[in-house]
């Protein structure tokens, strides 16, 4: 047993808990040693190191994360809160299992700050993928077959800073946005389906080209964000030797997912060398409404201290201390569907798209 580690489950899956940024799941270990006990200890240690590497990939950009050397086992152990194992298989000299490792956020943050490694931990608003697929003159979004949608079904449930989901594809979805509207960027239709799923929308338009071993896929991605102009980028994948078209499409979907993650990390990277404090006013409609907004604020890791100063039936006055800059604070709030505004010398937070502030201040 590795000192300082508490095993939550052995031979069974870890109990269902809310997935968070500092939990790494699906780490497969397979080790041999002179005995089953030694094989297990070696496997669990290697699993923690692999989980730590996954966590660094999740929180840091590639050029910064590449500079984070995997520390010694003792350092990693001190950053691990606990872990669980499932699918265990053992022999006299071999140990196989799948691990879920939960890290201590404060210790991981301290580790990165001590090495001057910038990192992001603000989760983006969920992104709804609209997978448009074109092959030999046939274009599909909702119709079957759509192997591009199938590829995304294997990628959408991965954890990370950018949650990704697929539309159900029911009659309501089909009636909300057509393949032509998705490709042409019909903002009314795209916004409507985004509202249905409580998400931003990314139209991922894939076109299969070539024949036989020379097949490839070109993907044009347009990500629509209520807080700014659409973001556009593309990816390209060639069919590798011995690879199926379905596997190539999965790789292309993963490329898109990785790019969404990378772009978001660059945009939301918190400068922990900076900090700020604000007295903000929050217009509310009820105490239940305030409880919901308060919960969203508490979900922001960059908030270091939040204290209610005054409260009435119409508004709550809150003192907030946060890491980073006011602009970074505004970006983080937007991912919780909250808008930070300044009027004269006063700061306000209201739900995105609402007119509460206008009613409260009387400004047109």
């Amino acid at each position: 047993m590795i000192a300082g580690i508490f095993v939550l489950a052995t031979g069974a899956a870890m109990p269902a808990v809310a997935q968070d940024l500092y939990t790494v799941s699906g780490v497969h270990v397979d080790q041999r040693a002179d005995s089953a006990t030694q094989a297990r200890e070696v496997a669990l240690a290697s699993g923690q190191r692999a989980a730590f590497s996954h966590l660094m990939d999740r929180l840091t950009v590639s050029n910064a994360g590449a500079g984070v050397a995997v520390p010694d086992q003792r350092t990693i152990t001190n950053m691990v809160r606990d872990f669980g194992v499932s699918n265990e298989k053992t022999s006299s000299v071999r140990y196989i299992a799948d691990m879920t490792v939960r890290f201590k956020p404060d210790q991981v943050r301290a580790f990165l700050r001590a090495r001057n490694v910038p990192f992001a931990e603000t989760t983006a608003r969920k992104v709804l993928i609209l997978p448009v697929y074109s092959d030999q003159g046939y274009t599909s979004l909702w119709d079957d077959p759509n192997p591009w949608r199938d590829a995304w079904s294997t990628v959408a449930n991965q954890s990370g800073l950018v949650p990704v989901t697929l539309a159900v594809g029911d009659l309501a979805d089909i009636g909300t946005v057509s393949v032509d509207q998705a490709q042409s960027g019909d903002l009314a239709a795209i916004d409507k389906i985004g509202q249905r799923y409580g998400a931003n929308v990314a139209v991922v338009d894939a076109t299969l080209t070539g024949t036989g071993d020379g097949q490839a896929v070109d993907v044009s991605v347009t990500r629509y964000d209520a807080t700014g102009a659409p973001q556009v980028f593309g990816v390209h994948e060639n069919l590798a030797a011995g690879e199926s078209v379905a596997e190539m499409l999965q790789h292309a979907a993963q490329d898109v997912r990785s790019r969404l993650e990378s772009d978001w990390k660059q945009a939301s990277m918190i400068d922990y060398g900076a900090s700020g404090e604000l007295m903000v006013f929050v217009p509310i409609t009820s105490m239940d409404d305030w409880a919901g907004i308060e919960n969203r604020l508490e979900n922001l890791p960059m908030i270091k201290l939040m204290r209610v100063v005054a409260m009435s039936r119409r508004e709550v006055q809150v003192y907030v201390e946060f890491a980073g800059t006011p602009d970074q604070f505004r970006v983080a709030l937007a991912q919780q569907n909250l808008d930070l505004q300044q009027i004269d010398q006063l700061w306000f937070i209201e739900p995105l798209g609402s007119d509460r502030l206008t009613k409260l201040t009387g400004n047109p």
Side-chain angles (χ1 to χ4, degrees):
M1 179 69 65
I2 301 170
I5 300 299
F6 172 61
V7 182
L8 289 180
T10 301
M14 179 180 285
V17 294
Q19 176 75 12
D20 63 52
L21 290 179
Y22 290 88
T23 298
V24 179
S25 302
V27 179
H28 184 73
V29 294
D30 184 350
Q31 294 289 336
R32 295 175 181 270
D34 292 337
S35 69
T37 300
Q38 289 179 346
R40 185 175 187 275
E41 291 201 6
V42 171
L44 296 180
S46 68
Q48 292 169 64
R49 291 194 298 272
F52 178 82
S53 294
H54 285 306
L55 183 64
M56 292 300 98
D57 289 340
R58 180 182 295 172
L59 299 180
T60 67
V61 293
S62 56
N63 56 348
V68 183
V70 177
D72 59 69
Q73 189 63 50
R74 181 181 294 274
T75 301
I76 292 178
T77 295
N78 289 336
M79 287 189 282
V80 173
R81 172 179 294 165
D82 48 46
F83 65 84
V85 294
S86 61
N87 304 319
E88 282 187 307
K89 297 179 182 178
T90 61
S91 71
S92 60
V93 294
R94 190 179 184 189
Y95 180 83
I96 302 172
D98 294 315
M99 295 181 64
T100 295
V101 183
R102 296 198 304 171
F103 290 90
K104 302 172 185 175
D106 289 343
Q107 280 81 345
V108 174
R109 294 181 188 120
F111 173 86
L112 291 170
R113 290 172 187 166
R115 289 156 180 78
N116 295 317
V117 176
F119 62 99
E121 55 179 347
T122 299
T123 302
R125 192 177 185 223
K126 181 171 58 178
V127 176
L128 176 70
I129 299 294
L130 296 182
V132 178
Y133 182 68
S134 300
D135 179 20
Q136 298 180 351
Y138 171 77
T139 300
S140 172
L141 172 58
W142 306 116
D143 296 338
D144 290 321
N146 186 336
W148 183 225
R149 183 176 62 236
D150 296 340
W152 273 98
S153 68
T154 67
V155 172
N157 293 326
Q158 297 175 2
S159 59
L161 288 169
V162 183
V164 168
T165 189
L166 283 171
V168 175
D170 57 13
L171 290 177
D173 286 342
I174 295 171
T176 299
V177 58
S178 68
V179 63
D180 290 337
Q181 289 172 316
Q183 287 187 308
S184 65
D186 186 319
L187 292 180
I190 289 170
D191 183 61
K192 187 174 180 180
I193 197 168
Q195 289 181 13
R196 184 177 190 222
Y197 286 88
N200 292 328
V201 178
V203 177
V204 286
D205 195 338
T207 301
L208 193 67
T209 60
T211 59
D213 294 339
Q215 292 182 93
V217 62
D218 288 295
V219 184
S220 174
V221 181
T222 306
R223 183 180 185 275
Y224 296 90
D225 188 332
T227 62
Q231 301 169 347
V232 181
F233 64 89
V235 302
H236 175 87
E237 278 283 345
N238 293 312
L239 189 69
E243 186 178 52
S244 68
V245 171
E247 290 170 331
M248 177 182 67
L249 292 175
Q250 287 182 20
H251 291 153
Q254 187 61 62
D255 289 345
V256 174
R257 177 72 189 269
S258 297
R259 176 65 184 270
L260 290 172
E261 289 272 342
S262 177
D263 287 352
W264 172 247
K265 282 188 282 189
Q266 291 283 4
S268 64
M269 201 74 66
I270 302 301
D271 177 7
Y272 282 92
S275 62
E277 57 182 20
L278 290 175
M279 187 70 73
V280 298
F281 296 86
V282 185
I284 61 172
T285 59
S286 67
M287 288 299 103
D288 286 343
D289 176 55
W290 162 241
I293 293 175
E294 184 180 31
N295 183 62
R296 289 190 238 174
L297 293 172
E298 289 174 346
N299 284 333
L300 294 178
M302 68 186 301
I303 290 183
K304 299 189 290 186
L305 174 66
M306 183 173 69
R307 183 175 68 250
V308 174
V309 176
M311 178 181 294
S312 72
R313 289 183 297 178
R314 297 186 61 197
E315 68 176 356
V316 179
Q317 185 178 358
V318 186
Y319 171 76
V320 179
E321 292 182 9
F322 55 89
T325 66
D327 283 342
Q328 292 169 334
F329 185 41
R330 179 181 285 108
V331 170
L333 285 170
Q335 308 317 303
Q336 298 293 328
N337 292 326
L338 297 172
D339 186 26
L340 177 67
Q341 297 185 41
Q342 183 179 18
I343 299 178
D344 296 327
Q345 300 301 313
L346 301 179
W347 290 88
F348 298 87
I349 293 176
E350 68 173 341
L352 281 170
S354 75
D355 60 353
R356 297 181 185 184
L357 185 54
T358 299
K359 292 179 179 178
L360 182 68
T361 62
N363 291 333

